[in-house]
Amino acid sequence: INGKITVLNLKEGGFVTKGSLIAKIFDADVKAQLSKLTVQLDLAQKTEERLKQLLTINGASQQDYDNAVGQVNNIKADIEITRVNLSKTEIRAPFSGKLGLKSISIGAYVTPATVITVLQQLDPCKLEFSVPEKYLSQIKVSDKVSFVVDGHSKPGQSTIYASDTKADPTT
């Protein structure tokens, strides 16, 4: 959702686990709405209970009782919507990984399109590479591949899990 960042819980270059809170958007208005709905639900449930008792002794009409039940159900649905909106004020890590540099600070106004930081999944790490056509018949899914990363002396080991069928006309 759109809003002002009130909590920025990220250590640049640090690791986070799936579900960790990265940022929090101002939510006092949504919490107030939830509190208001909770009070309304309590009152509506009491009214529904009273009408249920009156209905058993013909002291209230079925329509009045049905309206009270409908009111309780509507408020419960509004509470659920408000809880969903409250959850949208929390930005959590969708997977475990390493954080990049932050792009915003506390107090910044963000939208759903705002980049807060970059989160890179390191385990498993996905490598994409091109293979010349003449070697295409020599590789297949489940083959082992060794690779080297600049700055690391130890080669890495990986397994091919998929291949793309598109051809690059420039190569």
Side-chain angles (χ1 to χ4, degrees):
I1 63 170
N2 298 336
K4 185 174 86 169
I5 295 291
T6 57
V7 174
L8 195 55
N9 187 31
L10 68 92
K11 181 179 177 189
E12 295 174 308
F15 288 90
V16 293
T17 57
K18 180 179 180 177
S20 297
L21 182 69
I22 294 175
K24 180 89 171 135
I25 297 171
F26 178 79
D27 64 356
D29 54 341
V30 181
K31 284 182 178 177
Q33 180 68 24
L34 184 58
S35 179
K36 176 184 172 186
L37 287 169
T38 303
V39 170
Q40 288 177 348
L41 178 62
D42 185 47
L43 181 61
Q45 286 175 328
K46 287 178 183 175
T47 301
E48 184 259 339
E49 272 301 312
R50 285 187 202 111
L51 287 172
K52 184 177 183 179
Q53 291 172 357
L54 289 172
L55 185 63
T56 59
I57 61 169
N58 292 327
S61 70
Q62 181 69 43
Q63 181 179 1
D64 288 342
Y65 175 72
D66 291 344
N67 288 340
V69 170
Q71 182 69 19
V72 168
N73 290 334
N74 282 337
I75 294 171
K76 284 180 180 179
D78 288 343
I79 286 174
E80 187 58 33
I81 290 168
T82 306
R83 285 190 176 132
V84 168
N85 288 336
L86 189 60
S87 73
K88 290 179 181 180
T89 65
E90 295 179 345
I91 299 146
R92 297 189 173 273
F95 51 84
S96 297
K98 186 174 181 179
L99 294 168
L101 300 175
K102 64 182 178 178
S103 302
I104 61 165
S105 299
I106 290 178
Y109 187 83
V110 296
T111 68
T114 303
V115 175
I116 295 172
T117 187
V118 174
L119 177 60
Q120 184 67 46
Q121 185 176 15
L122 300 177
D123 186 21
C125 186
K126 179 180 174 183
L127 301 174
E128 292 182 13
F129 56 92
S130 298
V131 177
E133 183 180 5
K134 67 180 180 176
Y135 299 117
L136 198 54
S137 64
Q138 297 177 18
I139 64 166
K140 63 184 180 303
V141 173
S142 77
D143 281 353
K144 301 287 183 199
V145 178
S146 295
F147 61 93
V148 178
V149 178
D150 285 344
H152 293 278
S153 58
K154 185 179 175 185
Q157 195 69 10
S158 187
T159 304
I160 298 174
Y161 72 92
S163 64
D164 196 354
T165 57
K166 75 177 178 190
D168 185 352
T170 61
T171 61

